[in-house]
Amino acid sequence: MSNPHFALDISGLRKSFDRPVVIDLELKVRAGEFYALLGPNGAGKTTILRMVAGLLRQDAGAISVCGIDTAKDPVSAKQIVAWVSDEPMVYDRLTPLEYLEFVAGLWRIDASEAERHANELIDWLGLRPHANERCGGFSKGMLQKVALAGALVHNPRLIILDEPLTGLDAGSARQVKDVLKQKVASGVTVIMTTHILEVAERMAERIGVINHGRLVAEGTLAELRARIGRETTLEEIFLDLVAQKEADLAAEAAA
Amino acid sequence: MSTPATLPWFAAHEFRLAWRDWLAMMTAGRRVRGIVLFIVLAVFYLGLHLLAAALLGPWIRDGITTDKVTLVTVTGTGFLFWTVMLSQALESVTRAYYSRSDLDLLLSSPASSASVFAVRTGAIAFGTVLLACLLASPIINVLIAQDGARWLAAYGVLAGLGALAATLSVLVTIGLFRAIGPARTRLVAQIIAGIVGAGFVIGIQAVAILSLGNMNRYAVMQSPEFVAAAPELSSLIWLPARAAMGGLSAMLLVLLIGFGSLVLVIRATSGSFARHAIAAAGVSAARVQQSASTRPFRKSSQRHALRVKEWKLLRRDPWLLSQTLMQILYLFPPALFLWVSYGQSAGTYVVVIPVIVMAAGQLAGGLSWLAISGEDAHDLVVTAPIHPRAVLIAKIEAVLVSIAVVFGPVLLFVAIASVELAAITGLFVAISAGSATAIQLWFRVPMRRAMFRRRQVASRAATISEALSSIMWAGAAVLAAGNQWIAALPAILAVVVLAVAYALSPKGKRV
């Protein structure tokens, strides 16, 4: 039975492509929490998040979003989830405002409420001067902001972001981080993968480390420090945990 | 091993990429598929040789002489192949400037951009010649086998003409860059390529239809009036034909003209390649300002939001739409033929029915691909709280409404003459468009809309079944309009085509 106090409740999750990518994953994220998912390239982070967002089907296991089983009632689950990928996918030939109107239509948001919120987001993210330009000529940072606005325009309860700060300049990254902090402050849950460990260190309440499709460590920064037994940076902790897992796997293979 | 960043080194690099691309396209990484495809193509190629032998047999038996009729026929056939070469070369040259794949890497490297351009233009010429040789080889091989080795020279002529086509394509593209700028060059070059490729065939068929009442272009070339109006035997215009028929000095001259002009043009224009390619790259970075909208957000259902989005994107995508509309250009000769042949006796409007039905199928196929497979924000649509079936229904509705908007006035025009014929045409337009849409639905693979030109490569089965079903429904429509029970036959064949397409389509594995 899933617990509605968890924004995300994953149990026994498995996914294989040509090899196992996610193996018996158990992951719980509390409502209103900022959770960072870390891991080396190919660890399975994006695959996990794509399964949560409904972009991939799991081979086994259950995913529950705010108490809604994503396999049994995908439409209700999607109503409260927003997904932002590292590669912003927006329509080249729509303007940001047209894009947001389209997203609002897809999420069945009241038109006047959506318009008000869309304009707020456009201002918030510094897109006002480009609100009536087609997205085709936008830089990656601007596209990422349009995609983020699209994710926020329908007031999701869970926002999933895959490397959202990749390619953003310092100013844009700050705007995105501020928006996410405000959302968390208002009770929204944010789950984010990132390779920028300082961001995870500063913003996340809890951090999960994934390697070879398994959750190898999880906790607050203090808990992770305690686990490796020394006062150090998240980068050191991360490298230590990953190296430990690699050594375990090598030993298993040798045995 | 050649020295890095030199012309041979770039040539080897391009060849390796092209070979792997071709291999991947043909086999999709599966060895068995490659073998099966090779056998099918070999049988098809052999069939083309048998067809060529049957067509050329009487001509060869009569004895091929270098008279005016022969020169007109060989020149006309050669020109036909050359227009195809020119069309292909134009599209390839434009792509060399606009395709970004590795151009950023190459142009940002200290290697000479002139070498890159020289190799790419050479590769275009080579690809053009290869395609023309493949298309013409059944005819040439039959002539070699039955009339003598002198026809081997025809391959040399094709090589020379291919080089000339690449030369002209470079000149046209650079001319367009200078005249209308990089923002419009791609679209205009593509339209020119389409018109050049189809123009000669359509033109000569139109002449055949209007003057002789049939669609046989060779009938025009061999008609006494046409031959009489052609230049004298001593004219230089017959040089390629004479070369193809074994004139060694003529062939060397054609080769010299073709490759000489190509080398000269590469030398003259390679310096500007980087400049034009960079200008082309700037096009994608240019922003298009929409008029500031004061219209408030509209209340709409999810399906309506999807439909409106599709219509906006189709309306704002002239380049993609032009490719689709270009298909309709090829339907002009049959329309004209039917009009002239039967129009006056069997009711003028009966004859255009199959053309309308076929055009509807072809247009629906293109639009369906754009709407169903060409989804730029695939993740957004999949993560939206809407059932995938509802998304597909909305997209299909968007396509079918677009078809109705295009063909509605045409049907109205037919209805003025005969309501019954308009009803039959409307029914088959709907069936043909629905069939093409269904095929695109079964074979859907999410891709960026910009991949439109590769859609036929992505699924040959979809392309072939789409064309076949359109043809069958067109046949059924015209026979049904003539109240002939045999209309059931092409209709049954169309259903069989659809069933086979469904069986071949990838099922499941879709979220």
Side-chain angles (χ1 to χ4, degrees), chain B residues 384-396:
Chain B
I386 175 170
H387 197 281
R389 185 180 292 273
V391 173
L392 287 177
I393 290 171
K395 291 185 168 215
I396 291 166

Side-chain angles (χ1 to χ4, degrees), chain A residues 50 53-57 75 78-79 83 85 89-95 97-103 105-108 111 114-115 118 130 132-134 136-139 142, chain B residues 284-293 295-302 305-306 309 312-313 316-318 375-387 448 510-511:
Chain A
R50 287 182 75 82
L55 288 158
L56 271 179
R57 279 200 194 111
V75 172
K78 287 173 179 180
Q79 186 68 47
W83 160 258
S85 82
M89 289 182 172
V90 297
Y91 299 100
D92 287 355
R93 288 181 173 80
L94 293 188
T95 68
L97 272 173
E98 288 171 334
Y99 176 74
L100 295 182
E101 184 181 9
F102 170 61
V103 176
L106 278 184
W107 262 262
R108 290 172 296 190
E115 187 174 8
H130 314 289
N132 289 302
E133 282 172 11
R134 289 190 197 171
F138 284 8
S139 66
M142 284 163 70
Chain B
S284 59
R287 293 183 191 161
V288 180
Q289 181 83 35
Q290 287 294 125
S291 53
S293 170
R295 173 184 73 72
F297 279 20
R298 285 190 188 126
K299 185 178 189 306
S300 70
S301 67
Q302 290 169 303
L306 279 160
K309 183 266 288 183
K312 263 186 198 160
L313 294 180
R316 293 176 186 179
D317 210 339
E375 175 57 70
D376 283 347
H378 173 256
D379 282 10
L380 175 82
V381 175
V382 175
T383 56
I386 175 170
H387 197 281
R448 302 274 306 171
R510 291 186 184 118
V511 176

Side-chain angles (χ1 to χ4, degrees), chain A residues 5-71:
Chain A
H5 295 301
F6 289 117
L8 179 63
D9 187 346
I10 294 176
S11 61
L13 191 68
R14 258 186 265 162
K15 180 73 189 173
S16 294
F17 295 114
D18 51 341
R19 64 192 164 82
V21 178
V22 179
I23 305 159
D24 296 327
L25 183 79
E26 303 285 331
L27 181 68
K28 290 176 176 37
V29 180
R30 288 188 288 272
E33 190 174 27
F34 195 122
Y35 190 96
L37 202 56
L38 310 182
N41 293 329
K45 308 181 295 292
T46 302
T47 305
I48 294 166
L49 296 188
R50 287 182 75 82
M51 285 190 277
V52 175
L55 288 158
L56 271 179
R57 279 200 194 111
Q58 63 260 44
D59 295 340
I63 302 170
S64 160
V65 175
C66 301
I68 303 166
D69 189 319
T70 59

Side-chain angles (χ1 to χ4, degrees), chain B residues 87 90-91 94 172 176 184-197 318-324 326 452-453:
Chain B
S87 171
L90 252 171
E91 210 188 305
T94 318
V172 167
L176 286 174
R184 285 186 287 269
T185 291
R186 181 166 52 179
L187 176 66
V188 174
Q190 194 203 342
I191 291 171
I192 292 175
I195 291 171
V196 164
W319 186 57
L320 296 179
L321 207 58
S322 75
Q323 285 212 356
T324 306
M326 202 65 80
F452 183 74
R453 55 169 293 278

Side-chain angles (χ1 to χ4, degrees), chain B residues 405-422:
Chain B
V405 167
V406 172
F407 288 91
V410 181
L411 291 175
L412 202 67
F413 183 62
V414 178
I416 294 168
S418 162
V419 174
E420 190 195 339
L421 283 183

Side-chain angles (χ1 to χ4, degrees), chain B residues 55 106 128 138 187 251 272 322 331 344 361 369 377 414 419 458 463:
Chain B
L55 287 171
L106 295 172
T128 306
L187 176 66
M251 187 197 74
S272 63
S322 75
L331 298 172
Q344 287 136 12
W369 187 91
V414 178
V419 174
T463 307

